Amino acid sequence: MTSLIYCQQAKQLLEAFGETIRELTRLHEEQFQALVGGDLDSTRFDDLIHMVNERKHQAKYAYLNHLETHGCSRYDEPDKK
Ligand SMILES: [Zn+2]
């Protein structure tokens, strides 16, 4: 029964989701450094951040969708939309 808490696929989806969050964090940090360094062209990060954000949403959806359809874990955060 305990082996059902996280199946391998759910784990991979969660890792992929986490990876996009790390990437976003890195991009925001780089954008901040560019801004502090006086790089007025730092808006180029906006497109990148937007793209990674899209991937983050997709990864999150894939993960939650897996949990729901596979029933291998519970997801009952009160603020889910
Ligand atoms: Zn599963």
Side-chain angles (χ1 to χ4, degrees):
M1 198 171 166
T2 48
S3 63
L4 288 176
I5 293 174
Y6 277 111
C7 76
Q8 190 59 30
Q9 199 185 348
K11 224 171 181 175
Q12 284 169 357
L13 289 169
L14 185 61
E15 273 168 23
F17 178 34
E19 187 58 43
T20 60
I21 292 174
R22 273 201 295 276
E23 207 171 331
L24 271 180
T25 305
R26 189 176 52 80
L27 281 171
H28 279 121
E29 177 66 21
E30 280 180 23
Q31 184 181 36
F32 178 71
Q33 292 301 332
L35 198 66
V36 167
D39 183 1
L40 297 180
D41 192 34
S42 64
T43 51
R44 71 178 183 275
F45 284 105
D46 290 341
D47 283 343
L48 274 170
I49 288 170
H50 179 74
M51 274 167 49
V52 179
N53 237 322
E54 292 281 296
R55 276 167 47 206
K56 188 189 82 174
H57 284 302
Q58 281 167 13
K60 181 182 179 182
Y61 180 79
Y63 173 63
L64 295 182
N65 192 51
H66 173 88
L67 295 191
E68 202 168 302
T69 55
H70 197 205
C72 55
S73 185
R74 284 179 36 220
Y75 182 75
D76 41 48
E77 263 184 40
D79 63 344
K80 79 171 175 181
K81 291 182 184 138

Coordinates of all heavy atoms in Angstrom, one line a residue:
M1 N 0.8 -1.2 0.0 CA 0.0 0.0 0.0 C 0.9 1.3 0.0 O 0.6 2.2 -0.7 CB -0.9 0.0 1.2 CG -2.1 1.0 1.1 SD -3.3 0.7 2.4 CE -4.3 2.2 2.2
T2 N 2.0 1.2 0.8 CA 2.8 2.4 0.8 C 3.5 2.7 -0.5 O 3.9 3.8 -0.8 CB 3.9 2.2 1.9 OG1 4.5 1.0 1.8 CG2 3.3 2.4 3.3
S3 N 3.7 1.6 -1.3 CA 4.3 1.8 -2.6 C 3.5 2.6 -3.6 O 4.0 3.0 -4.6 CB 4.7 0.4 -3.2 OG 3.5 -0.3 -3.5
L4 N 2.2 2.8 -3.2 CA 1.3 3.5 -4.1 C 1.4 5.0 -3.9 O 0.8 5.8 -4.6 CB -0.1 3.1 -3.9 CG -0.4 1.7 -4.5 CD1 -1.9 1.3 -4.1 CD2 -0.2 1.6 -6.0
I5 N 2.1 5.5 -2.8 CA 2.2 6.9 -2.5 C 2.7 7.7 -3.7 O 2.1 8.6 -4.2 CB 3.0 7.2 -1.3 CG1 2.3 6.6 -0.1 CG2 3.2 8.6 -1.1 CD1 3.1 6.6 1.2
Y6 N 3.8 7.2 -4.2 CA 4.4 7.8 -5.4 C 4.8 6.8 -6.4 O 5.7 6.0 -6.1 CB 5.5 8.7 -5.1 CG 5.1 10.1 -4.6 CD1 5.4 10.5 -3.3 CD2 4.5 11.0 -5.5 CE1 5.0 11.8 -2.9 CE2 4.2 12.3 -5.1 CZ 4.4 12.6 -3.8 OH 4.0 13.9 -3.3
C7 N 4.2 6.7 -7.5 CA 4.7 5.8 -8.5 C 5.8 6.5 -9.3 O 6.0 7.7 -9.2 CB 3.5 5.3 -9.5 SG 3.0 6.6 -10.7
Q8 N 6.5 5.7 -10.1 CA 7.7 6.2 -10.8 C 7.3 7.4 -11.7 O 8.0 8.4 -11.8 CB 8.3 5.1 -11.6 CG 9.7 5.4 -12.1 CD 10.7 5.9 -11.1 OE1 10.6 5.4 -9.9 NE2 11.6 6.7 -11.4
Q9 N 6.2 7.2 -12.4 CA 5.9 8.2 -13.4 C 5.5 9.6 -12.7 O 5.9 10.6 -13.1 CB 4.7 7.8 -14.2 CG 4.5 8.5 -15.5 CD 3.3 8.1 -16.3 OE1 2.7 7.1 -16.0 NE2 3.0 8.9 -17.3
A10 N 4.8 9.4 -11.6 CA 4.4 10.6 -10.8 C 5.7 11.3 -10.3 O 5.8 12.6 -10.4 CB 3.6 10.3 -9.6
K11 N 6.7 10.5 -9.9 CA 7.9 11.1 -9.5 C 8.6 11.8 -10.6 O 9.1 12.9 -10.3 CB 8.8 9.9 -9.0 CG 9.6 10.1 -7.7 CD 10.2 8.8 -7.3 CE 10.9 9.0 -6.0 NZ 11.5 7.7 -5.5
Q12 N 8.7 11.3 -11.8 CA 9.3 11.9 -12.9 C 8.6 13.2 -13.3 O 9.2 14.2 -13.6 CB 9.4 11.0 -14.1 CG 10.4 9.9 -13.9 CD 10.3 8.8 -15.0 OE1 9.4 8.8 -15.8 NE2 11.2 7.8 -15.0
L13 N 7.3 13.2 -13.2 CA 6.5 14.4 -13.6 C 6.7 15.5 -12.6 O 6.8 16.6 -12.9 CB 5.0 14.0 -13.7 CG 4.6 13.2 -14.9 CD1 3.2 12.7 -14.7 CD2 4.7 14.0 -16.2
L14 N 6.8 15.1 -11.3 CA 7.1 16.0 -10.2 C 8.5 16.6 -10.4 O 8.6 17.8 -10.2 CB 6.9 15.4 -8.9 CG 7.0 16.3 -7.7 CD1 6.0 17.4 -7.7 CD2 6.9 15.5 -6.4
E15 N 9.4 15.8 -10.8 CA 10.8 16.3 -11.0 C 10.8 17.2 -12.1 O 11.5 18.3 -12.1 CB 11.7 15.1 -11.2 CG 12.3 14.5 -9.9 CD 13.0 13.2 -10.1 OE1 13.4 12.9 -11.2 OE2 13.1 12.4 -9.1
A16 N 10.1 16.9 -13.2 CA 10.1 17.8 -14.4 C 9.5 19.2 -14.0 O 9.9 20.2 -14.4 CB 9.3 17.2 -15.5
F17 N 8.4 19.1 -13.2 CA 7.8 20.3 -12.7 C 8.7 21.1 -11.8 O 8.9 22.3 -12.1 CB 6.5 19.9 -11.9 CG 5.8 21.0 -11.2 CD1 5.7 22.2 -11.9 CD2 5.1 20.8 -10.0 CE1 4.9 23.3 -11.3 CE2 4.4 21.9 -9.5 CZ 4.3 23.1 -10.1
G18 N 9.4 20.5 -10.9 CA 10.4 21.1 -10.1 C 11.5 21.8 -10.9 O 12.1 22.8 -10.5
E19 N 11.9 21.1 -12.0 CA 13.0 21.6 -12.8 C 12.6 22.9 -13.5 O 13.5 23.8 -13.6 CB 13.3 20.5 -13.9 CG 14.5 20.8 -14.7 CD 15.8 21.0 -13.9 OE1 16.0 20.2 -13.0 OE2 16.5 21.9 -14.1
T20 N 11.4 23.0 -13.9 CA 11.0 24.3 -14.5 C 11.0 25.4 -13.5 O 11.3 26.6 -13.8 CB 9.6 24.2 -15.2 OG1 8.6 23.8 -14.2 CG2 9.5 23.1 -16.3
I21 N 10.6 25.1 -12.3 CA 10.6 26.1 -11.2 C 12.0 26.6 -10.9 O 12.3 27.7 -10.8 CB 10.0 25.5 -9.9 CG1 8.5 25.3 -10.2 CG2 10.2 26.5 -8.8 CD1 7.8 24.6 -9.0
R22 N 13.0 25.6 -10.9 CA 14.4 26.0 -10.7 C 14.9 26.8 -11.9 O 15.6 27.8 -11.7 CB 15.3 24.7 -10.7 CG 15.3 24.1 -9.2 CD 16.5 23.2 -9.1 NE 16.5 22.0 -9.9 CZ 15.8 20.9 -9.5 NH1 15.2 20.9 -8.4 NH2 15.8 19.9 -10.3
E23 N 14.4 26.5 -13.1 CA 14.8 27.3 -14.3 C 14.3 28.7 -14.2 O 15.0 29.7 -14.5 CB 14.3 26.6 -15.5 CG 15.2 26.9 -16.7 CD 14.8 26.0 -17.9 OE1 14.3 24.9 -17.7 OE2 15.0 26.5 -19.1
L24 N 13.1 28.8 -13.7 CA 12.5 30.2 -13.6 C 13.2 31.0 -12.5 O 13.5 32.2 -12.7 CB 11.0 30.0 -13.1 CG 9.9 29.9 -14.2 CD1 8.6 29.8 -13.6 CD2 10.0 31.1 -15.1
T25 N 13.6 30.3 -11.4 CA 14.3 31.0 -10.4 C 15.6 31.5 -10.9 O 16.0 32.6 -10.6 CB 14.5 30.0 -9.2 OG1 13.3 29.5 -8.8 CG2 15.2 30.7 -8.0
R26 N 16.3 30.7 -11.7 CA 17.6 31.0 -12.3 C 17.4 32.2 -13.2 O 18.2 33.1 -13.2 CB 18.2 29.8 -13.0 CG 19.6 30.0 -13.5 CD 20.1 28.7 -14.1 NE 19.2 28.2 -15.2 CZ 19.2 28.7 -16.4 NH1 20.0 29.7 -16.7 NH2 18.4 28.2 -17.3
L27 N 16.4 32.2 -14.1 CA 16.2 33.3 -15.0 C 15.9 34.6 -14.3 O 16.4 35.6 -14.7 CB 15.0 32.9 -16.0 CG 15.4 31.9 -17.1 CD1 14.1 31.5 -17.8 CD2 16.3 32.6 -18.1
H28 N 15.1 34.5 -13.2 CA 14.7 35.7 -12.5 C 16.0 36.3 -11.9 O 16.2 37.5 -11.8 CB 13.7 35.4 -11.4 CG 12.3 35.4 -11.9 ND1 11.5 34.3 -11.9 CD2 11.6 36.3 -12.6 CE1 10.3 34.6 -12.4 NE2 10.3 35.8 -12.9
E29 N 16.9 35.4 -11.4 CA 18.1 35.8 -10.8 C 19.0 36.5 -11.8 O 19.6 37.5 -11.6 CB 18.8 34.6 -10.1 CG 20.2 34.9 -9.5 CD 20.1 35.8 -8.3 OE1 19.0 35.9 -7.7 OE2 21.1 36.4 -8.0
E30 N 19.1 35.9 -13.0 CA 19.9 36.4 -14.0 C 19.4 37.8 -14.5 O 20.1 38.7 -14.8 CB 20.0 35.4 -15.2 CG 21.0 34.3 -15.0 CD 21.0 33.4 -16.2 OE1 20.6 33.8 -17.3 OE2 21.4 32.2 -16.0
Q31 N 18.1 37.9 -14.6 CA 17.5 39.1 -15.0 C 17.8 40.2 -14.0 O 18.1 41.4 -14.3 CB 15.9 39.0 -15.1 CG 15.3 40.2 -15.7 CD 13.8 40.0 -15.8 OE1 13.1 39.4 -15.0 NE2 13.2 40.6 -16.8
F32 N 17.7 39.8 -12.7 CA 18.0 40.8 -11.6 C 19.4 41.3 -11.7 O 19.7 42.5 -11.6 CB 17.7 40.1 -10.3 CG 18.0 41.0 -9.1 CD1 17.2 42.1 -8.8 CD2 19.1 40.8 -8.3 CE1 17.5 43.0 -7.8 CE2 19.3 41.6 -7.2 CZ 18.6 42.7 -7.0
Q33 N 20.3 40.3 -11.9 CA 21.8 40.6 -12.0 C 22.0 41.6 -13.2 O 22.8 42.5 -13.1 CB 22.6 39.4 -12.2 CG 22.6 38.5 -10.9 CD 23.2 39.2 -9.7 OE1 23.9 40.1 -9.8 NE2 22.7 38.8 -8.5
A34 N 21.3 41.3 -14.3 CA 21.5 42.1 -15.5 C 21.0 43.5 -15.2 O 21.6 44.5 -15.6 CB 20.7 41.5 -16.7
L35 N 19.9 43.6 -14.6 CA 19.3 44.9 -14.2 C 20.2 45.7 -13.3 O 20.5 46.9 -13.5 CB 17.9 44.7 -13.5 CG 17.0 45.9 -13.5 CD1 16.5 46.2 -14.9 CD2 15.8 45.5 -12.6
V36 N 20.7 45.0 -12.3 CA 21.6 45.7 -11.3 C 22.9 46.1 -12.0 O 23.4 47.2 -11.7 CB 21.9 44.7 -10.2 CG1 23.1 45.2 -9.3 CG2 20.7 44.5 -9.3
G37 N 23.3 45.3 -13.0 CA 24.5 45.6 -13.8 C 24.3 46.7 -14.8 O 25.2 47.0 -15.6
G38 N 23.1 47.3 -14.8 CA 22.8 48.4 -15.8 C 22.5 47.9 -17.2 O 22.5 48.7 -18.1
D39 N 22.1 46.6 -17.3 CA 21.8 46.1 -18.6 C 20.3 46.4 -18.9 O 19.4 45.8 -18.5 CB 22.0 44.6 -18.7 CG 21.7 44.0 -20.0 OD1 21.3 44.7 -20.9 OD2 21.8 42.7 -20.2
L40 N 20.1 47.5 -19.8 CA 18.8 47.9 -20.1 C 18.1 47.0 -21.1 O 16.9 47.1 -21.4 CB 18.8 49.3 -20.6 CG 19.3 50.4 -19.6 CD1 19.3 51.8 -20.2 CD2 18.5 50.4 -18.4
D41 N 18.8 46.0 -21.6 CA 18.3 45.1 -22.6 C 17.8 43.8 -21.8 O 17.5 42.8 -22.4 CB 19.3 44.7 -23.6 CG 18.7 43.9 -24.8 OD1 17.5 44.2 -25.1 OD2 19.3 43.0 -25.3
S42 N 17.7 43.9 -20.5 CA 17.3 42.8 -19.7 C 15.9 42.3 -20.0 O 15.4 41.3 -19.5 CB 17.5 43.0 -18.2 OG 16.6 44.1 -17.8
T43 N 15.1 43.1 -20.8 CA 13.7 42.7 -21.1 C 13.8 41.4 -21.9 O 12.7 40.8 -22.1 CB 13.0 43.8 -21.8 OG1 13.8 44.2 -22.9 CG2 12.7 44.9 -20.9
R44 N 14.9 41.1 -22.5 CA 15.0 39.9 -23.3 C 14.7 38.7 -22.4 O 14.3 37.6 -22.9 CB 16.4 39.7 -23.9 CG 17.5 39.4 -22.9 CD 18.8 39.2 -23.6 NE 19.9 38.9 -22.7 CZ 20.6 39.7 -22.0 NH1 20.3 41.0 -22.1 NH2 21.5 39.3 -21.2
F45 N 14.8 38.8 -21.1 CA 14.5 37.7 -20.2 C 13.0 37.5 -20.1 O 12.6 36.4 -19.8 CB 15.0 38.0 -18.8 CG 16.5 37.9 -18.7 CD1 17.4 39.0 -18.6 CD2 17.1 36.6 -18.6 CE1 18.7 38.8 -18.5 CE2 18.5 36.4 -18.5 CZ 19.3 37.5 -18.4
D46 N 12.3 38.5 -20.4 CA 10.8 38.4 -20.3 C 10.3 37.3 -21.2 O 9.4 36.5 -20.8 CB 10.1 39.7 -20.6 CG 10.4 40.7 -19.5 OD1 10.8 40.3 -18.4 OD2 10.2 41.9 -19.8
D47 N 10.8 37.2 -22.4 CA 10.3 36.2 -23.3 C 10.7 34.8 -22.8 O 9.9 33.9 -22.9 CB 10.9 36.4 -24.7 CG 10.2 37.5 -25.5 OD1 9.1 37.9 -25.0 OD2 10.8 38.0 -26.4
L48 N 11.9 34.7 -22.3 CA 12.4 33.4 -21.8 C 11.6 33.0 -20.6 O 11.1 31.8 -20.5 CB 13.9 33.6 -21.4 CG 14.9 33.3 -22.5 CD1 16.3 33.8 -21.9 CD2 15.0 31.9 -22.9
I49 N 11.4 33.9 -19.7 CA 10.6 33.6 -18.5 C 9.2 33.2 -18.9 O 8.6 32.3 -18.3 CB 10.6 34.8 -17.6 CG1 12.0 35.0 -16.9 CG2 9.6 34.7 -16.5 CD1 12.2 36.3 -16.2
H50 N 8.6 33.9 -19.9 CA 7.3 33.6 -20.3 C 7.2 32.1 -20.9 O 6.3 31.4 -20.5 CB 6.8 34.5 -21.4 CG 5.5 34.3 -21.9 ND1 4.3 34.5 -21.2 CD2 5.1 33.7 -23.1 CE1 3.3 34.1 -21.9 NE2 3.7 33.6 -23.1
M51 N 8.2 31.8 -21.7 CA 8.3 30.4 -22.2 C 8.4 29.4 -21.2 O 7.7 28.3 -21.2 CB 9.5 30.3 -23.2 CG 9.2 30.8 -24.6 SD 10.7 31.0 -25.6 CE 11.6 29.4 -25.2
V52 N 9.3 29.6 -20.2 CA 9.5 28.6 -19.1 C 8.2 28.5 -18.3 O 7.9 27.5 -17.8 CB 10.7 29.0 -18.3 CG1 10.9 28.0 -17.2 CG2 12.0 29.0 -19.2
N53 N 7.6 29.7 -18.1 CA 6.3 29.7 -17.3 C 5.3 28.8 -18.0 O 4.6 28.1 -17.3 CB 5.8 31.1 -17.3 CG 5.6 31.6 -15.8 OD1 5.2 30.8 -15.0 ND2 5.9 32.8 -15.6
E54 N 5.2 28.9 -19.3 CA 4.3 28.0 -20.0 C 4.6 26.5 -19.8 O 3.7 25.7 -19.5 CB 4.4 28.3 -21.5 CG 3.9 29.7 -21.9 CD 2.4 29.7 -22.0 OE1 1.8 29.0 -22.9 OE2 1.8 30.4 -21.2
R55 N 5.9 26.2 -19.8 CA 6.3 24.8 -19.6 C 6.0 24.4 -18.2 O 5.7 23.3 -17.9 CB 7.8 24.7 -19.9 CG 8.1 24.5 -21.4 CD 9.5 24.6 -21.7 NE 10.4 23.9 -20.7 CZ 11.6 24.3 -20.4 NH1 12.2 25.3 -21.0 NH2 12.3 23.6 -19.6
K56 N 6.2 25.4 -17.2 CA 5.9 25.1 -15.8 C 4.4 24.7 -15.7 O 4.1 23.7 -15.0 CB 6.2 26.3 -15.0 CG 6.2 25.9 -13.5 CD 6.3 27.2 -12.6 CE 5.0 27.9 -12.5 NZ 5.0 29.1 -11.6
H57 N 3.5 25.5 -16.3 CA 2.1 25.2 -16.2 C 1.8 23.9 -16.8 O 0.9 23.1 -16.2 CB 1.3 26.3 -16.9 CG 1.2 27.6 -16.1 ND1 0.7 27.7 -14.8 CD2 1.6 28.8 -16.4 CE1 0.8 28.9 -14.4 NE2 1.4 29.6 -15.3
Q58 N 2.4 23.6 -17.9 CA 2.1 22.3 -18.6 C 2.6 21.1 -17.7 O 1.9 20.1 -17.6 CB 2.8 22.2 -19.9 CG 2.0 23.0 -21.0 CD 2.9 23.2 -22.3 OE1 3.9 22.6 -22.4 NE2 2.4 24.1 -23.1
A59 N 3.8 21.3 -17.1 CA 4.4 20.3 -16.3 C 3.5 20.1 -15.0 O 3.3 18.9 -14.6 CB 5.8 20.6 -15.9
K60 N 3.0 21.2 -14.5 CA 2.2 21.1 -13.3 C 0.9 20.3 -13.6 O 0.4 19.5 -12.9 CB 1.9 22.5 -12.7 CG 1.0 22.4 -11.5 CD 0.7 23.9 -11.0 CE -0.2 23.8 -9.8 NZ -0.6 25.2 -9.3
Y61 N 0.3 20.7 -14.8 CA -1.0 20.1 -15.2 C -0.8 18.6 -15.4 O -1.6 17.8 -15.1 CB -1.5 20.8 -16.5 CG -2.8 20.2 -17.0 CD1 -4.0 20.5 -16.4 CD2 -2.8 19.3 -18.0 CE1 -5.2 20.0 -16.8 CE2 -4.0 18.7 -18.4 CZ -5.2 19.1 -17.8 OH -6.3 18.5 -18.2
A62 N 0.3 18.3 -16.1 CA 0.6 16.9 -16.4 C 0.7 16.1 -15.1 O 0.2 14.9 -15.0 CB 1.9 16.7 -17.2
Y63 N 1.4 16.7 -14.1 CA 1.6 16.0 -12.8 C 0.2 15.8 -12.1 O -0.1 14.7 -11.7 CB 2.5 16.8 -12.0 CG 2.7 16.3 -10.6 CD1 3.2 15.0 -10.3 CD2 2.3 17.1 -9.5 CE1 3.3 14.6 -9.0 CE2 2.4 16.6 -8.2 CZ 2.9 15.3 -8.0 OH 3.0 14.9 -6.7
L64 N -0.5 16.9 -12.0 CA -1.8 16.8 -11.3 C -2.8 15.9 -12.0 O -3.5 15.1 -11.4 CB -2.4 18.2 -11.2 CG -1.6 19.2 -10.3 CD1 -2.4 20.5 -10.2 CD2 -1.4 18.6 -8.9
N65 N -2.7 16.0 -13.3 CA -3.6 15.1 -14.1 C -3.2 13.6 -13.9 O -4.1 12.8 -13.9 CB -3.4 15.5 -15.6 CG -4.5 14.8 -16.5 OD1 -5.7 15.0 -16.1 ND2 -4.1 14.2 -17.5
H66 N -2.0 13.4 -13.8 CA -1.5 12.0 -13.6 C -2.1 11.5 -12.2 O -2.6 10.4 -12.1 CB 0.0 11.8 -13.6 CG 0.5 10.5 -13.2 ND1 0.6 9.5 -14.1 CD2 0.8 10.0 -12.0 CE1 1.0 8.4 -13.4 NE2 1.1 8.7 -12.1
L67 N -1.9 12.3 -11.2 CA -2.4 11.9 -9.9 C -3.9 11.6 -9.9 O -4.3 10.7 -9.3 CB -2.1 13.0 -8.9 CG -0.6 13.4 -8.6 CD1 -0.6 14.3 -7.4 CD2 0.2 12.2 -8.3
E68 N -4.6 12.5 -10.6 CA -6.0 12.3 -10.7 C -6.5 11.1 -11.4 O -7.3 10.3 -10.9 CB -6.6 13.6 -11.3 CG -8.1 13.8 -11.0 CD -8.5 15.2 -11.4 OE1 -7.9 16.2 -11.0 OE2 -9.5 15.3 -12.2
T69 N -5.9 10.9 -12.5 CA -6.3 9.7 -13.4 C -5.7 8.4 -12.8 O -6.4 7.4 -12.9 CB -5.9 9.9 -14.8 OG1 -4.5 10.1 -14.9 CG2 -6.6 11.1 -15.4
H70 N -4.5 8.5 -12.3 CA -3.8 7.2 -11.9 C -4.2 6.9 -10.4 O -4.2 5.8 -10.0 CB -2.3 7.4 -12.0 CG -1.6 6.1 -11.9 ND1 -0.3 6.0 -11.5 CD2 -2.0 4.9 -12.2 CE1 0.1 4.7 -11.6 NE2 -0.9 4.0 -12.0
G71 N -4.5 8.0 -9.7 CA -4.9 7.8 -8.3 C -3.8 7.2 -7.4 O -4.1 6.6 -6.4
C72 N -2.6 7.6 -7.8 CA -1.4 7.0 -7.1 C -1.0 8.0 -5.9 O -0.2 7.6 -5.1 CB -0.3 6.8 -8.0 SG 0.2 8.2 -8.9
S73 N -1.6 9.1 -5.8 CA -1.3 10.0 -4.7 C -2.5 10.9 -4.5 O -3.4 11.1 -5.3 CB -0.1 10.8 -5.0 OG 0.3 11.6 -3.9
R74 N -2.5 11.6 -3.3 CA -3.6 12.5 -3.0 C -3.1 13.9 -3.2 O -1.9 14.3 -3.0 CB -4.0 12.3 -1.6 CG -4.9 11.1 -1.5 CD -5.3 10.8 0.0 NE -5.6 12.1 0.6 CZ -5.2 12.4 1.9 NH1 -4.6 11.5 2.6 NH2 -5.5 13.5 2.4
Y75 N -4.0 14.7 -3.7 CA -3.7 16.1 -3.8 C -4.9 16.9 -3.3 O -5.9 17.0 -4.0 CB -3.4 16.5 -5.3 CG -3.1 17.9 -5.5 CD1 -1.8 18.4 -5.1 CD2 -4.0 18.8 -6.0 CE1 -1.5 19.7 -5.3 CE2 -3.7 20.2 -6.2 CZ -2.4 20.6 -5.8 OH -2.1 21.9 -6.0
D76 N -4.8 17.4 -2.1 CA -5.9 18.2 -1.6 C -5.5 19.5 -1.0 O -5.8 19.8 0.1 CB -6.7 17.3 -0.6 CG -5.8 16.5 0.3 OD1 -4.9 17.1 0.9 OD2 -6.1 15.3 0.5
E77 N -4.6 20.2 -1.7 CA -4.3 21.6 -1.3 C -5.6 22.4 -1.3 O -6.3 22.4 -2.3 CB -3.2 22.1 -2.2 CG -1.8 22.0 -1.6 CD -0.8 22.7 -2.5 OE1 -1.1 23.8 -3.0 OE2 0.3 22.1 -2.6
P78 N -5.8 23.2 -0.3 CA -7.1 24.0 -0.3 C -7.2 25.0 -1.4 O -8.3 25.4 -1.7 CB -7.0 24.6 1.1 CG -5.6 24.6 1.5 CD -5.0 23.4 0.9
D79 N -6.0 25.5 -1.9 CA -6.1 26.6 -2.8 C -6.0 26.1 -4.3 O -5.7 26.9 -5.2 CB -5.0 27.6 -2.5 CG -3.6 27.0 -2.7 OD1 -3.5 25.8 -2.8 OD2 -2.7 27.8 -2.8
K80 N -6.3 24.9 -4.6 CA -6.2 24.5 -6.0 C -7.3 25.0 -6.8 O -8.4 25.2 -6.3 CB -6.1 22.9 -6.1 CG -7.5 22.2 -5.9 CD -7.3 20.8 -6.3 CE -8.6 20.0 -6.0 NZ -8.5 18.6 -6.3
K81 N -7.0 25.3 -8.0 CA -8.0 26.0 -8.8 C -8.7 25.0 -9.8 O -8.0 24.3 -10.4 CB -7.4 27.1 -9.6 CG -7.0 28.3 -8.7 CD -6.5 29.4 -9.4 CE -6.0 30.5 -8.4 NZ -4.8 31.1 -8.8
Ligands
ZN1 ZN 0.9 7.2 -10.8

